Amino acid sequence: MGRRDEHAAFERPGRRSRPRTKERPDHADARLARVVTIDRGRYTLALDGRPLTAVKARAIGRTGVVVGDEAHVVGDVSGEEGTLARIVDVTERRTVLRRTADDDDPIERIIVANADQLVIVTALADPPPRAGLVDRCLVAAYDAGMDPLVVLTKADLASPQEMLGLLEPLEVRTVVTERGADLTPVRDALRDRTSVLIGHSGVGKSTLVNALVPDADRSTSHVNEVTGRGRHTSTSAMALKLDSVEGRGGGGWIIDTPGIRSFGLAHVESEDIVRAFPDLNELSITCPRGCTHAASEPECAWDRAVAAGSLGAARVASVRRILTAKDSAASW
Ligand SMILES: Nc1nc2c(ncn2[C@@H]2O[C@H](COP(=O)(O)OP(=O)(O)OP(=O)(O)O)[C@@H](O)[C@H]2O)c(=O)[nH]1
Ligand SMILES: [Mg+2]
Ligand SMILES: [Zn+2]
């Protein structure tokens, strides 16, 4: 018991003799830990910087426990070999990243909880970039309330100019990288954030994680030369602590995920996307009632602003592209 706790107990002498209530079952000693990975019903959590293996209590509902969750654990929390703690509850999630049902898996699932930054990893070649995919990931980020960051990998194989040109009007933060490159710009963008990496299989997510976290030991694999697709080398999500950079403070978490094919965007409302662009959102107040802001809308305030010279045509065209991305085919 720390000094502060001793003092608190002294000031409230009745506390210990109070009967246990329903709201406080016998978990007063529960510790808060972060779920870093899940493997066949075993949860690995980080508690005070040490790994801890746990199972989940049956009382935890269908929403379950996902990577990134902050969970209360009880029992043997020593983390010693052969010990098993028990997860008794999960704190309210600040954000969730979902994937939709697809052929491989008929159930919509939450992949990661509590990330505040969505890192959209796209290779400039091998596999070739697909702008539509980036657009869909941006929609997912705006909808989930996460800040998007686009990382363009494999710049040793192709120029980033075209992709950068597409993203510039949206004012999305971008970082260009390649194997062996100085990672300072990536580290700067990740500092003190909880960042989840998403993108096609083979774009280099795990390669990036290994470069950022020296003992991460994430396996990586080649892109198939015939199909141009990766082989889904990573099969589960894993959160890794970013070391604080000496003398510059910071830290944060990076979460590697398996290459994903689809996102649940059907539920996304246009307003949620527009809200991510404050200038356009503000203009929308003067649009006719029910304006969808599509190029076909006769009196959209966005067009009036472009005509008046107070708003760039490229920005409007790009945001319209994003708005239609949510309605395009669900998989990529
Ligand atoms: N030329 C080049 N190759 C790279 C670069 N980054 C990664 N690769 C290669 O791309 C291949 C796929 O990398 P991974 O890190 O396994 O890709 P991933 O995104 O984790 O793939 P999944 O786990 O399947 O989703 C590996 O052969 C890497 O060595 C890069 O900057 N340049
Ligand atoms: Mg991987
Ligand atoms: Zn409008």
Side-chain angles (χ1 to χ4, degrees):
M1 195 190 261
R3 272 192 137 183
R4 272 168 170 272
D5 296 332
E6 263 166 34
H7 192 63
F10 178 75
E11 284 196 333
R12 289 181 288 153
R15 200 177 65 147
R16 291 192 172 274
S17 54
R18 251 185 239 158
R20 294 191 194 281
T21 65
K22 273 225 169 92
E23 295 74 44
R24 276 198 158 269
D26 34 20
H27 300 144
D29 57 342
R31 304 285 309 275
L32 195 59
R34 168 162 279 205
V35 178
V36 296
T37 197
I38 304 172
D39 183 22
R40 284 162 289 175
R42 291 286 158 101
Y43 299 80
T44 305
L45 300 99
L47 177 63
D48 299 335
R50 286 179 297 108
L52 175 70
T53 307
V55 291
K56 82 175 177 186
R58 206 176 302 159
I60 292 178
R62 278 192 313 119
T63 48
V65 180
V66 302
V67 170
D69 268 332
E70 282 160 11
H72 282 110
V73 286
V74 298
D76 189 338
V77 297
S78 67
E80 273 162 38
E81 187 90 40
T83 62
L84 210 50
R86 192 159 48 94
I87 299 174
V88 289
D89 75 56
V90 167
T91 63
E92 198 183 331
R93 292 169 181 150
R94 295 181 292 277
T95 64
V96 292
L97 179 65
R98 303 169 192 280
R99 46 154 286 173
T100 38
D102 63 19
D103 296 346
D104 295 343
D105 185 347
I107 300 164
E108 181 179 288
R109 293 180 194 280
I110 295 172
I111 322 171
V112 164
N114 297 327
D116 53 38
Q117 182 161 253
L118 189 69
V119 182
I120 303 161
V121 186
T122 303
L124 291 160
D126 192 27
R130 289 186 212 157
L133 172 152
V134 177
D135 287 347
R136 291 182 62 76
C137 293
L138 289 171
V139 170
Y142 298 135
D143 174 55
M146 293 183 224
D147 290 330
L149 169 73
V150 176
V151 173
L152 300 171
T153 61
K154 311 199 189 186
D156 51 315
L157 303 180
S159 161
Q161 288 320 315
E162 195 186 330
M163 287 302 287
L164 290 175
L166 276 172
L167 294 167
E168 199 210 281
L170 295 170
E171 293 173 16
V172 175
R173 287 171 307 138
T174 53
V175 179
V176 178
T177 184
E178 62 188 70
R179 204 180 1 225
D182 173 15
L183 286 174
T184 307
V186 182
R187 287 188 201 281
D188 285 346
L190 301 182
R191 177 163 307 128
D192 292 334
R193 313 290 305 261
T194 298
S195 304
V196 55
L197 303 184
I198 55 157
H200 258 158
S201 180
V203 295
K205 298 179 294 295
S206 299
T207 302
L208 197 61
V209 167
N210 285 339
L212 290 164
V213 184
D215 47 6
D217 208 19
R218 294 290 282 171
S219 52
T220 61
S221 181
H222 299 286
V223 174
N224 185 306
E225 275 175 28
V226 179
T227 63
R229 287 169 179 255
R231 300 193 306 195
H232 292 272
T233 306
S234 305
T235 52
S236 57
M238 181 177 275
L240 296 129
K241 189 99 184 75
L242 289 166
D243 279 334
S244 51
V245 179
E246 224 176 307
R248 296 169 68 185
W253 289 85
I254 189 165
I255 306 175
D256 190 13
T257 67
I260 54 174
R261 299 192 189 91
S262 52
F263 259 131
L265 298 184
H267 64 284
V268 177
E269 300 288 336
S270 293
E271 297 99 87
D272 295 328
I273 303 172
V274 174
R275 210 170 292 131
F277 303 94
D279 52 341
L280 300 184
N281 194 33
E282 197 172 308
L283 278 170
S284 304
I285 300 164
T286 59
C287 282
R289 185 187 285 263
C291 182
T292 63
H293 317 301
S296 57
E297 290 282 353
E299 285 174 81
C300 181
W302 298 0
D303 291 311
R304 279 186 269 130
V306 172
S310 58
L311 182 63
R315 182 162 168 86
V316 169
S318 300
V319 175
R320 284 180 171 154
R321 192 186 75 222
I322 295 290
L323 286 172
T324 57
K326 85 178 176 74
D327 300 320
S328 62
S331 41
W332 56 62

